[in-house]
Amino acid sequence: MALPSLKLLQVLALATVTSLSTTVLAQPGNSGRRGGGFTSTMSAGGMDPDYMLRDLQRFQVALELSDEQTLLVEQFLRDYDESFREASDASRDSVGNSFSSMRGNEDSPEQQRTDELRARSRELREKLDSANSLGDEEGMKELQAKLQSEMESIRDEMREARTEQWQSPERQSAFEDVALLLQDQLRLKRKMRIEFESDLVVILSEDQQLLWPPLERQIIRDRLLPRGRLSGETIDVMSFVDQQEYTDETLITLLPVLEEWDISVTPALTARDEHMIENQGSLMTAMRTMDMTSGLDVMKAQARHAENVRDISGTAIENIVLLLSPEDGEVFNAFAKERSYPRIYRPTRTDRAYKAAMELEGLEEDILQAINELYAALQDEMIYANQRILEATHRWESQEQLDRMGRFAERMTGGSSERAASPIQEAEEGKRVIEDNYLEQLRMLLTEEQIEALGGLKKREARGEGNQRGAGGGGREGGRGGFEGGREEFMKRFDADGDGTISESERNAIRDHFRNGGGNSGGGQGSGGGGRP
């Protein structure tokens, strides 16, 4: 059956634009980066051009430009590039000078006071470390208390000095200058974009003008997607599909979802960008006056825009998976998750250890079977653990970013606040506990030589625990779910009939044992806070 010609043209147009987009997004500086630092947020992308000379090929192919039109567009791009570069360089230098003036003179009394307080703090910290190392020796408790009290006094002085510097007339004036400079740059950037696009549309034929809106949306996505600051916010769904090399028939099946994503995510990105541009002055004023309420209100609204972009792309991926065959859907889902949330779904050290163990030479068949069973159980646990991290990320990532801004503002005004517990980190730690458990079970199945061939399979220390996980926590004896005596104890425990091999019923016992946490320590996934409730 012949493919509908209009649909096929749409598919090919999407594939052309997407492949060009993939090339652009693969340029150094965009990959693996979410958003930017303080200056990037405050400038709302004002220093980044909307168009570049390298876009010429994209215009030429997607709009089917003639040679004469190509020359005109090239000149438009060169004029835009030259004017924008000149303006942005001047703005960047001026903003840099203003930020430099905020830091003040190194010889100023204020800076000398700050340096003196830092030196005193380091000296007290060294004395306190020495006192702590002496433990319970006579007089150490009193000395520790005295040093702690002096440390608190210095912290109070440093907070007071920081507040005075932040609220100084010089710094307030510099902030006002920066706000005006960035607002001017944003207005100029918008004006230059409108002028370029107006010049471009004028030279297009009626048929070419029909090709411009989808290309314009793609350019907007390429410009704004990399500015995302949330996990899963920067993904390009069309690029994901393009990388699968699906047939035209499959692309036609997916076309409604891609079109829906195209017309939904682009205005969402534009709204996110416009909100920051429109509120950039208010945000700079809030930062200057340390008005936490108004500043956080702006950023909360910005976070909602960001979550909307992320959720639109997430919904598109879910719908694509539903339209594909079960096999292709599973592959695409795994591909999309790993690239959308690499911190969650990229292969883990424990996963690599199990795969390497399965390739060990001379591995006995019954031990290989036990490793396979254990690896299957690990994968089941990781599905749950990863989903828990994903849910926590969706629920709390924006709020944690806002909390960091709030703590920064409080420090600048002389206050202080305790960092709230992070549900995301708690979920990540739960996954880490599960991995350590399964890594220990793998060690119990291998000889010392095999363990050495895999690099030792030592556990990673959890945040803040240092060496407090307990003696032998990473060794063959003890540990979560471990067997004292190694493989001999393992065979004694599971080789019920004593024939030196593991039967099917004995393998079932191994599977149940490991999936329940296993071991003589009474541990298990649930006891470490990382397993199923």
Side-chain angles (χ1 to χ4, degrees):
M1 182 177 66
L3 297 176
S5 58
L6 177 59
K7 286 285 187 181
L8 181 56
L9 286 173
Q10 289 176 307
V11 169
L12 294 176
L14 281 172
T16 299
V17 174
T18 300
S19 62
L20 289 169
S21 165
T22 304
T23 302
V24 171
L25 287 177
Q27 297 295 323
N30 283 337
S31 60
R33 182 172 64 91
R34 292 205 312 271
F38 174 81
T39 304
S40 175
T41 301
M42 295 298 104
S43 66
M47 303 299 180
D48 300 324
D50 291 322
Y51 297 103
M52 296 184 177
L53 281 172
R54 69 186 183 193
D55 292 328
L56 179 62
Q57 182 187 10
R58 167 181 290 188
F59 287 116
Q60 186 178 17
V61 174
L63 298 178
E64 301 175 356
L65 299 178
S66 66
D67 292 343
E68 182 180 357
Q69 288 175 316
T70 299
L71 290 174
L72 287 172
V73 173
E74 181 179 6
Q75 188 59 50
F76 295 160
L77 286 170
R78 290 189 182 279
D79 291 344
Y80 175 91
D81 181 74
E82 181 179 351
S83 299
F84 187 88
R85 190 185 302 274
E86 181 180 350
S88 61
D89 286 348
S91 296
R92 190 176 289 108
D93 289 343
S94 298
V95 170
N97 291 334
S98 296
F99 275 124
S100 296
S101 68
M102 292 183 189
R103 291 192 289 270
N105 193 312
E106 294 182 358
D107 298 328
S108 67
E110 294 81 6
Q111 188 61 45
Q112 289 180 0
R113 180 190 174 196
T114 299
D115 293 341
E116 179 184 346
L117 289 172
R118 287 174 178 167
R120 287 171 55 194
S121 178
R122 286 193 296 269
E123 181 181 352
L124 284 173
R125 170 56 60 187
E126 292 173 358
K127 290 181 179 179
L128 185 57
D129 289 343
S130 298
N132 289 335
S133 67
L134 295 176
D136 297 330
E137 292 189 17
E138 184 178 354
M140 286 302 105
K141 293 296 184 183
E142 293 79 3
L143 178 58
Q144 292 171 11
K146 178 183 177 183
L147 293 173
Q148 285 283 13
S149 177
E150 292 182 27
M151 286 283 294
E152 286 299 324
S153 297
I154 289 181
R155 290 192 187 101
D156 291 340
E157 288 188 58
M158 293 181 71
R159 280 194 291 267
E160 180 182 346
R162 191 162 50 229
T163 302
E164 291 178 358
Q165 290 180 356
W166 188 267
Q167 297 177 349
S168 67
E170 295 80 10
R171 180 160 293 194
Q172 295 296 301
S173 176
F175 246 116
E176 291 177 0
D177 291 343
V178 169
L180 291 173
L181 287 166
L182 294 180
Q183 288 174 5
D184 288 344
Q185 177 65 22
L186 288 169
R187 282 193 291 266
L188 178 61
K189 177 181 176 178
R190 179 181 290 178
K191 178 176 179 290
M192 293 179 64
R193 185 186 75 239
I194 293 173
E195 289 177 351
F196 171 84
E197 292 171 355
S198 298
D199 291 341
L200 172 67
V201 172
V202 166
I203 69 168
L204 299 180
S205 67
E206 290 185 3
D207 290 340
Q208 289 173 324
Q209 289 181 16
L210 295 177
L211 299 174
W212 168 239
L215 176 59
E216 181 184 26
R217 290 194 297 270
Q218 183 68 61
I219 291 172
I220 290 172
R221 290 196 301 273
D222 288 352
R223 185 176 76 245
L224 299 184
L225 275 174
R227 294 186 197 161
R229 302 181 64 82
L230 296 179
S231 301
E233 187 187 354
T234 64
I235 63 175
D236 186 333
V237 176
M238 285 193 183
S239 175
F240 283 5
V241 171
D242 183 66
Q243 292 177 62
Q244 309 309 306
E245 299 182 354
Y246 291 135
T247 63
D248 288 346
E249 288 85 353
T250 300
L251 288 174
I252 288 175
T253 302
L254 302 181
L255 187 60
V257 175
L258 294 175
E259 289 178 332
E260 175 63 25
W261 179 77
D262 177 26
I263 64 176
S264 298
V265 78
T266 308
L269 285 165
T270 302
R272 186 195 71 187
D273 190 56
E274 291 294 330
H275 177 267
M276 180 55 72
I277 292 174
E278 292 170 2
N279 290 277
Q280 187 268 345
S282 299
L283 190 59
M284 290 295 294
T285 299
M287 291 295 295
R288 177 174 60 83
T289 61
M290 285 294 106
D291 180 2
M292 294 187 348
T293 301
S294 62
L296 288 177
D297 285 344
V298 171
M299 296 310 298
K300 285 178 181 178
Q302 189 69 20
R304 289 192 291 270
H305 284 294
E307 290 172 346
N308 186 39
V309 171
R310 179 198 65 196
D311 294 344
I312 289 172
S313 295
T315 299
I317 288 173
E318 292 173 359
N319 291 335
I320 288 172
V321 171
L322 292 175
L323 290 174
L324 293 170
S325 67
E327 296 79 8
D328 288 344
E330 183 178 354
V331 171
F332 182 79
N333 189 44
F335 175 90
K337 281 184 174 179
E338 185 174 337
R339 282 154 183 78
S340 303
Y341 302 91
R343 287 187 59 183
I344 302 175
Y345 290 101
R346 62 191 172 197
T348 66
R349 174 174 172 261
T350 303
D351 184 84
R352 292 192 296 270
Y354 269 84
K355 290 180 178 179
M358 295 174 193
E359 301 296 326
L360 287 172
E361 294 184 4
L363 197 64
E364 297 177 23
E365 184 177 350
D366 58 335
I367 297 301
L368 177 59
Q369 182 63 33
I371 292 175
N372 284 327
E373 299 283 1
L374 194 51
Y375 182 56
L378 168 66
Q379 290 179 305
D380 288 342
E381 291 289 350
M382 286 299 98
I383 292 173
Y384 165 76
N386 288 338
Q387 184 62 29
R388 185 181 172 203
I389 299 173
L390 181 63
E391 291 172 356
T393 298
H394 280 185
R395 172 66 181 84
W396 295 105
E397 188 175 24
S398 291
Q399 184 59 50
E400 290 187 7
Q401 291 183 359
L402 294 172
D403 289 344
R404 285 193 291 271
M405 290 189 63
R407 289 195 301 273
F408 169 77
E410 288 190 11
R411 288 197 304 271
M412 291 301 100
T413 55
S416 62
S417 62
E418 293 293 329
R419 178 175 300 187
S422 167
I424 299 175
Q425 289 184 5
E426 289 176 357
E428 290 173 341
E429 180 60 23
K431 177 180 177 179
R432 191 175 296 111
V433 169
I434 295 173
E435 288 191 82
D436 286 346
N437 180 25
Y438 278 91
L439 195 62
E440 184 68 16
Q441 306 298 349
L442 178 60
R443 289 175 60 86
M444 296 304 101
L445 296 174
L446 303 175
T447 65
E448 292 290 353
E449 292 76 13
Q450 290 168 337
I451 292 173
E452 185 65 25
L454 297 179
L457 302 181
K458 292 184 179 180
K459 294 182 183 179
R460 294 170 297 182
E461 293 181 350
R463 287 191 183 98
E465 290 193 11
N467 295 322
Q468 299 176 9
R469 291 183 71 92
R476 287 177 63 85
E477 292 87 30
R480 179 178 296 276
F483 288 94
E484 295 184 4
R487 184 177 182 280
E488 291 182 4
E489 181 62 21
F490 172 83
M491 294 299 292
K492 180 179 178 181
R493 170 68 175 81
F494 291 109
D495 186 14
D497 57 12
D499 65 353
T501 61
I502 300 296
S503 65
E504 188 60 31
S505 62
E506 291 165 347
R507 289 194 185 99
N508 289 335
I510 293 173
R511 184 188 303 113
D512 292 341
H513 176 83
F514 286 145
R515 284 182 172 171
N516 290 325
N520 56 11
S521 63
Q525 293 93 329
S527 64
R532 302 178 191 272

Short mmCIF file of all heavy atoms in Angstrom, two decimals, residues 197-243:
data_model
loop_
_atom_site.label_atom_id
_atom_site.label_comp_id
_atom_site.label_asym_id
_atom_site.label_seq_id
_atom_site.Cartn_x
_atom_site.Cartn_y
_atom_site.Cartn_z
N GLU A 197 14.11 38.04 11.32
CA GLU A 197 13.02 37.18 10.86
C GLU A 197 12.14 37.91 9.85
O GLU A 197 11.64 37.30 8.90
CB GLU A 197 12.22 36.68 12.05
CG GLU A 197 13.00 35.71 12.93
CD GLU A 197 12.29 35.38 14.23
OE1 GLU A 197 11.23 35.98 14.50
OE2 GLU A 197 12.79 34.52 14.98
N SER A 198 11.95 39.22 10.05
CA SER A 198 11.16 39.99 9.09
C SER A 198 11.87 40.04 7.73
O SER A 198 11.24 39.86 6.68
CB SER A 198 10.94 41.42 9.61
OG SER A 198 10.20 41.40 10.82
N ASP A 199 13.18 40.27 7.75
CA ASP A 199 13.95 40.29 6.50
C ASP A 199 13.90 38.93 5.82
O ASP A 199 13.81 38.84 4.57
CB ASP A 199 15.40 40.67 6.78
CG ASP A 199 15.55 42.12 7.20
OD1 ASP A 199 14.62 42.91 6.94
OD2 ASP A 199 16.59 42.46 7.82
N LEU A 200 13.93 37.85 6.60
CA LEU A 200 13.93 36.51 6.03
C LEU A 200 12.61 36.21 5.35
O LEU A 200 12.57 35.74 4.20
CB LEU A 200 14.20 35.48 7.14
CG LEU A 200 14.05 34.02 6.73
CD1 LEU A 200 15.14 33.63 5.74
CD2 LEU A 200 14.10 33.11 7.96
N VAL A 201 11.50 36.47 6.03
CA VAL A 201 10.18 36.13 5.49
C VAL A 201 9.89 36.89 4.21
O VAL A 201 9.24 36.37 3.28
CB VAL A 201 9.09 36.39 6.56
CG1 VAL A 201 7.69 36.23 5.95
CG2 VAL A 201 9.26 35.45 7.74
N VAL A 202 10.37 38.13 4.11
CA VAL A 202 10.10 38.96 2.93
C VAL A 202 10.62 38.32 1.65
O VAL A 202 9.99 38.43 0.58
CB VAL A 202 10.73 40.36 3.12
CG1 VAL A 202 10.78 41.12 1.81
CG2 VAL A 202 9.91 41.16 4.14
N ILE A 203 11.75 37.61 1.71
CA ILE A 203 12.35 37.05 0.48
C ILE A 203 11.83 35.66 0.15
O ILE A 203 12.24 35.07 -0.86
CB ILE A 203 13.89 37.02 0.58
CG1 ILE A 203 14.33 35.97 1.63
CG2 ILE A 203 14.44 38.38 0.92
CD1 ILE A 203 15.80 35.68 1.58
N LEU A 204 10.95 35.11 0.99
CA LEU A 204 10.43 33.76 0.75
C LEU A 204 9.20 33.79 -0.14
O LEU A 204 8.39 34.72 -0.07
CB LEU A 204 10.07 33.09 2.08
CG LEU A 204 11.20 32.88 3.10
CD1 LEU A 204 10.66 32.21 4.36
CD2 LEU A 204 12.34 32.07 2.50
N SER A 205 9.05 32.74 -0.94
CA SER A 205 7.84 32.58 -1.74
C SER A 205 6.70 32.11 -0.83
O SER A 205 6.92 31.76 0.34
CB SER A 205 8.07 31.56 -2.85
OG SER A 205 8.28 30.27 -2.29
N GLU A 206 5.50 32.06 -1.38
CA GLU A 206 4.35 31.61 -0.58
C GLU A 206 4.55 30.18 -0.11
O GLU A 206 4.23 29.84 1.04
CB GLU A 206 3.07 31.73 -1.40
CG GLU A 206 2.64 33.17 -1.66
CD GLU A 206 1.30 33.25 -2.37
OE1 GLU A 206 0.69 32.18 -2.60
OE2 GLU A 206 0.85 34.36 -2.69
N ASP A 207 5.06 29.30 -0.99
CA ASP A 207 5.30 27.91 -0.59
C ASP A 207 6.38 27.82 0.49
O ASP A 207 6.26 27.03 1.43
CB ASP A 207 5.71 27.08 -1.81
CG ASP A 207 4.57 26.88 -2.78
OD1 ASP A 207 3.40 27.03 -2.36
OD2 ASP A 207 4.84 26.57 -3.97
N GLN A 208 7.40 28.62 0.36
CA GLN A 208 8.48 28.61 1.36
C GLN A 208 8.00 29.15 2.71
O GLN A 208 8.44 28.69 3.76
CB GLN A 208 9.66 29.43 0.86
CG GLN A 208 10.43 28.79 -0.28
CD GLN A 208 11.48 29.70 -0.86
OE1 GLN A 208 11.27 30.93 -0.96
NE2 GLN A 208 12.61 29.14 -1.28
N GLN A 209 7.08 30.12 2.65
CA GLN A 209 6.56 30.66 3.90
C GLN A 209 5.77 29.62 4.69
O GLN A 209 5.70 29.69 5.92
CB GLN A 209 5.68 31.89 3.62
CG GLN A 209 6.48 33.10 3.17
CD GLN A 209 5.62 34.32 2.90
OE1 GLN A 209 4.46 34.37 3.32
NE2 GLN A 209 6.17 35.31 2.21
N LEU A 210 5.21 28.62 4.00
CA LEU A 210 4.53 27.53 4.70
C LEU A 210 5.53 26.64 5.45
O LEU A 210 5.18 25.99 6.43
CB LEU A 210 3.73 26.69 3.70
CG LEU A 210 2.55 27.39 3.00
CD1 LEU A 210 1.91 26.46 1.99
CD2 LEU A 210 1.52 27.86 4.03
N LEU A 211 6.78 26.60 4.98
CA LEU A 211 7.81 25.80 5.63
C LEU A 211 8.46 26.53 6.81
O LEU A 211 9.15 25.89 7.62
CB LEU A 211 8.90 25.43 4.61
CG LEU A 211 8.45 24.59 3.41
CD1 LEU A 211 9.62 24.45 2.42
CD2 LEU A 211 7.97 23.23 3.86
N TRP A 212 8.26 27.82 6.91
CA TRP A 212 8.93 28.60 7.93
C TRP A 212 8.43 28.32 9.35
O TRP A 212 9.25 28.13 10.27
CB TRP A 212 8.83 30.09 7.61
CG TRP A 212 9.24 31.01 8.74
CD1 TRP A 212 8.48 31.96 9.34
CD2 TRP A 212 10.49 31.04 9.41
NE1 TRP A 212 9.17 32.60 10.34
CE2 TRP A 212 10.42 32.04 10.40
CE3 TRP A 212 11.68 30.32 9.28
CZ2 TRP A 212 11.47 32.35 11.25
CZ3 TRP A 212 12.74 30.63 10.13
CH2 TRP A 212 12.64 31.62 11.09
N PRO A 213 7.11 28.23 9.63
CA PRO A 213 6.68 28.02 11.02
C PRO A 213 7.26 26.78 11.69
O PRO A 213 7.76 26.88 12.83
CB PRO A 213 5.15 27.95 10.90
CG PRO A 213 4.84 28.78 9.70
CD PRO A 213 5.95 28.50 8.74
N PRO A 214 7.25 25.58 11.04
CA PRO A 214 7.87 24.43 11.72
C PRO A 214 9.37 24.59 11.93
O PRO A 214 9.91 24.15 12.94
CB PRO A 214 7.56 23.24 10.80
CG PRO A 214 7.22 23.84 9.48
CD PRO A 214 6.61 25.16 9.78
N LEU A 215 10.05 25.25 10.95
CA LEU A 215 11.48 25.49 11.12
C LEU A 215 11.71 26.48 12.26
O LEU A 215 12.63 26.31 13.07
CB LEU A 215 12.08 26.02 9.83
CG LEU A 215 13.57 26.41 9.90
CD1 LEU A 215 14.42 25.22 10.31
CD2 LEU A 215 14.04 27.00 8.58
N GLU A 216 10.86 27.50 12.34
CA GLU A 216 10.99 28.48 13.41
C GLU A 216 10.83 27.82 14.77
O GLU A 216 11.57 28.11 15.72
CB GLU A 216 9.96 29.59 13.23
CG GLU A 216 10.03 30.68 14.29
CD GLU A 216 8.93 31.70 14.13
OE1 GLU A 216 7.86 31.36 13.58
OE2 GLU A 216 9.13 32.85 14.58
N ARG A 217 9.84 26.91 14.87
CA ARG A 217 9.64 26.20 16.15
C ARG A 217 10.86 25.36 16.50
O ARG A 217 11.28 25.29 17.67
CB ARG A 217 8.39 25.32 16.07
CG ARG A 217 7.09 26.11 16.03
CD ARG A 217 5.89 25.22 16.30
NE ARG A 217 5.73 24.18 15.30
CZ ARG A 217 5.01 24.32 14.19
NH1 ARG A 217 4.42 25.48 13.91
NH2 ARG A 217 4.88 23.31 13.35
N GLN A 218 11.45 24.70 15.49
CA GLN A 218 12.64 23.89 15.75
C GLN A 218 13.79 24.76 16.22
O GLN A 218 14.53 24.39 17.16
CB GLN A 218 13.04 23.14 14.49
CG GLN A 218 14.23 22.22 14.67
CD GLN A 218 13.90 21.03 15.57
OE1 GLN A 218 13.03 20.24 15.26
NE2 GLN A 218 14.58 20.93 16.69
N ILE A 219 13.96 25.92 15.62
CA ILE A 219 15.04 26.82 16.02
C ILE A 219 14.83 27.31 17.45
O ILE A 219 15.77 27.40 18.24
CB ILE A 219 15.14 28.00 15.03
CG1 ILE A 219 15.64 27.51 13.68
CG2 ILE A 219 16.05 29.09 15.57
CD1 ILE A 219 15.60 28.56 12.58
N ILE A 220 13.57 27.61 17.78
CA ILE A 220 13.27 28.03 19.16
C ILE A 220 13.62 26.94 20.14
O ILE A 220 14.22 27.18 21.19
CB ILE A 220 11.77 28.41 19.28
CG1 ILE A 220 11.50 29.71 18.52
CG2 ILE A 220 11.37 28.57 20.74
CD1 ILE A 220 10.02 30.06 18.43
N ARG A 221 13.27 25.69 19.80
CA ARG A 221 13.58 24.58 20.69
C ARG A 221 15.09 24.40 20.85
O ARG A 221 15.59 24.18 21.96
CB ARG A 221 12.94 23.28 20.17
CG ARG A 221 11.44 23.26 20.28
CD ARG A 221 10.90 21.86 20.13
NE ARG A 221 11.26 21.25 18.86
CZ ARG A 221 10.57 21.37 17.75
NH1 ARG A 221 9.46 22.10 17.73
NH2 ARG A 221 10.94 20.75 16.64
N ASP A 222 15.80 24.48 19.74
CA ASP A 222 17.25 24.31 19.82
C ASP A 222 17.90 25.41 20.66
O ASP A 222 18.91 25.18 21.33
CB ASP A 222 17.86 24.31 18.42
CG ASP A 222 17.55 23.04 17.64
OD1 ASP A 222 16.99 22.11 18.25
OD2 ASP A 222 17.83 23.01 16.44
N ARG A 223 17.30 26.60 20.63
CA ARG A 223 17.85 27.71 21.39
C ARG A 223 17.50 27.63 22.87
O ARG A 223 18.32 27.93 23.74
CB ARG A 223 17.32 29.03 20.81
CG ARG A 223 17.93 30.26 21.44
CD ARG A 223 17.45 31.53 20.77
NE ARG A 223 16.09 31.88 21.17
CZ ARG A 223 15.04 31.90 20.36
NH1 ARG A 223 15.18 31.55 19.10
NH2 ARG A 223 13.85 32.25 20.81
N LEU A 224 16.28 27.18 23.18
CA LEU A 224 15.79 27.26 24.55
C LEU A 224 15.88 25.96 25.34
O LEU A 224 15.97 25.99 26.57
CB LEU A 224 14.34 27.76 24.56
CG LEU A 224 14.10 29.15 23.95
CD1 LEU A 224 12.64 29.55 24.12
CD2 LEU A 224 15.02 30.18 24.59
N LEU A 225 15.82 24.82 24.66
CA LEU A 225 15.90 23.55 25.40
C LEU A 225 17.16 23.44 26.25
O LEU A 225 17.09 23.03 27.42
CB LEU A 225 15.80 22.36 24.44
CG LEU A 225 14.40 21.92 24.04
CD1 LEU A 225 14.47 20.84 22.97
CD2 LEU A 225 13.62 21.40 25.25
N PRO A 226 18.35 23.78 25.71
CA PRO A 226 19.56 23.62 26.54
C PRO A 226 19.60 24.50 27.78
O PRO A 226 20.43 24.28 28.65
CB PRO A 226 20.69 23.99 25.56
CG PRO A 226 20.13 23.78 24.20
CD PRO A 226 18.70 24.16 24.33
N ARG A 227 18.72 25.50 27.88
CA ARG A 227 18.72 26.36 29.06
C ARG A 227 17.95 25.76 30.23
O ARG A 227 17.87 26.37 31.29
CB ARG A 227 18.12 27.73 28.70
CG ARG A 227 18.96 28.52 27.72
CD ARG A 227 18.39 29.90 27.54
NE ARG A 227 18.92 30.52 26.33
CZ ARG A 227 18.36 31.54 25.71
NH1 ARG A 227 17.25 32.07 26.20
NH2 ARG A 227 18.90 32.04 24.62
N GLY A 228 17.35 24.61 30.02
CA GLY A 228 16.60 23.99 31.09
C GLY A 228 17.48 23.67 32.29
O GLY A 228 18.64 23.30 32.14
N ARG A 229 16.91 23.81 33.48
CA ARG A 229 17.67 23.59 34.71
C ARG A 229 17.17 22.38 35.50
O ARG A 229 17.75 22.03 36.52
CB ARG A 229 17.62 24.84 35.58
CG ARG A 229 18.15 26.10 34.89
CD ARG A 229 18.10 27.31 35.78
NE ARG A 229 18.97 27.17 36.93
CZ ARG A 229 20.29 27.40 36.91
NH1 ARG A 229 20.88 27.76 35.79
NH2 ARG A 229 21.00 27.26 38.01
N LEU A 230 16.09 21.76 35.03
CA LEU A 230 15.56 20.58 35.70
C LEU A 230 15.97 19.31 34.95
O LEU A 230 16.17 19.34 33.73
CB LEU A 230 14.04 20.64 35.78
CG LEU A 230 13.41 21.76 36.59
CD1 LEU A 230 11.89 21.65 36.52
CD2 LEU A 230 13.88 21.73 38.04
N SER A 231 16.06 18.22 35.66
CA SER A 231 16.29 16.93 35.00
C SER A 231 15.11 16.65 34.08
O SER A 231 13.96 16.82 34.45
CB SER A 231 16.41 15.83 36.06
OG SER A 231 17.45 16.09 36.97
N GLY A 232 15.40 16.21 32.86
CA GLY A 232 14.35 15.89 31.90
C GLY A 232 13.78 17.08 31.18
O GLY A 232 12.88 16.92 30.34
N GLU A 233 14.28 18.28 31.46
CA GLU A 233 13.73 19.50 30.85
C GLU A 233 14.40 19.82 29.51
O GLU A 233 13.82 20.54 28.70
CB GLU A 233 13.89 20.68 31.80
CG GLU A 233 13.20 21.95 31.36
CD GLU A 233 13.54 23.14 32.25
OE1 GLU A 233 14.21 22.95 33.29
OE2 GLU A 233 13.14 24.27 31.89
N THR A 234 15.58 19.30 29.27
CA THR A 234 16.35 19.69 28.09
C THR A 234 16.22 18.72 26.91
O THR A 234 16.87 18.91 25.89
CB THR A 234 17.84 19.80 28.45
OG1 THR A 234 18.33 18.50 28.85
CG2 THR A 234 18.07 20.78 29.58
N ILE A 235 15.40 17.69 27.05
CA ILE A 235 15.38 16.64 26.03
C ILE A 235 14.66 17.08 24.77
O ILE A 235 13.68 17.83 24.81
CB ILE A 235 14.75 15.35 26.58
CG1 ILE A 235 13.28 15.57 26.96
CG2 ILE A 235 15.52 14.84 27.76
CD1 ILE A 235 12.57 14.33 27.39
N ASP A 236 15.14 16.60 23.63
CA ASP A 236 14.54 16.85 22.32
C ASP A 236 13.92 15.54 21.85
O ASP A 236 14.61 14.62 21.42
CB ASP A 236 15.61 17.34 21.34
CG ASP A 236 15.02 17.75 20.00
OD1 ASP A 236 13.95 17.23 19.63
OD2 ASP A 236 15.63 18.60 19.32
N VAL A 237 12.60 15.44 21.93
CA VAL A 237 11.91 14.19 21.61
C VAL A 237 12.11 13.82 20.14
O VAL A 237 12.29 12.65 19.81
CB VAL A 237 10.40 14.31 21.95
CG1 VAL A 237 9.66 13.05 21.51
CG2 VAL A 237 10.23 14.55 23.45
N MET A 238 12.08 14.81 19.25
CA MET A 238 12.29 14.51 17.83
C MET A 238 13.68 13.94 17.59
O MET A 238 13.86 13.03 16.78
CB MET A 238 12.08 15.76 16.99
CG MET A 238 10.62 16.15 16.81
SD MET A 238 10.44 17.40 15.53
CE MET A 238 8.66 17.69 15.63
N SER A 239 14.65 14.47 18.30
CA SER A 239 16.00 13.95 18.16
C SER A 239 16.07 12.50 18.65
O SER A 239 16.73 11.66 18.04
CB SER A 239 16.98 14.82 18.96
OG SER A 239 18.28 14.27 18.94
N PHE A 240 15.38 12.21 19.75
CA PHE A 240 15.34 10.83 20.25
C PHE A 240 14.78 9.89 19.19
O PHE A 240 15.32 8.80 18.95
CB PHE A 240 14.46 10.75 21.50
CG PHE A 240 15.13 11.27 22.75
CD1 PHE A 240 16.38 11.87 22.71
CD2 PHE A 240 14.50 11.15 23.98
CE1 PHE A 240 16.99 12.34 23.86
CE2 PHE A 240 15.11 11.61 25.14
CZ PHE A 240 16.34 12.22 25.08
N VAL A 241 13.68 10.30 18.55
CA VAL A 241 13.06 9.45 17.52
C VAL A 241 13.99 9.30 16.33
O VAL A 241 14.15 8.21 15.78
CB VAL A 241 11.70 10.05 17.10
CG1 VAL A 241 11.14 9.31 15.88
CG2 VAL A 241 10.71 9.98 18.26
N ASP A 242 14.60 10.39 15.92
CA ASP A 242 15.48 10.37 14.76
C ASP A 242 16.65 9.41 14.95
O ASP A 242 17.06 8.72 14.01
CB ASP A 242 16.00 11.78 14.48
CG ASP A 242 16.88 11.84 13.24
OD1 ASP A 242 16.36 11.62 12.14
OD2 ASP A 242 18.09 12.08 13.38
N GLN A 243 17.14 9.31 16.16
CA GLN A 243 18.30 8.45 16.43
C GLN A 243 17.94 6.96 16.37
O GLN A 243 18.85 6.12 16.33
CB GLN A 243 18.88 8.79 17.80
CG GLN A 243 19.53 10.16 17.85
CD GLN A 243 20.05 10.52 19.23
OE1 GLN A 243 20.92 9.84 19.78
NE2 GLN A 243 19.51 11.58 19.81
#
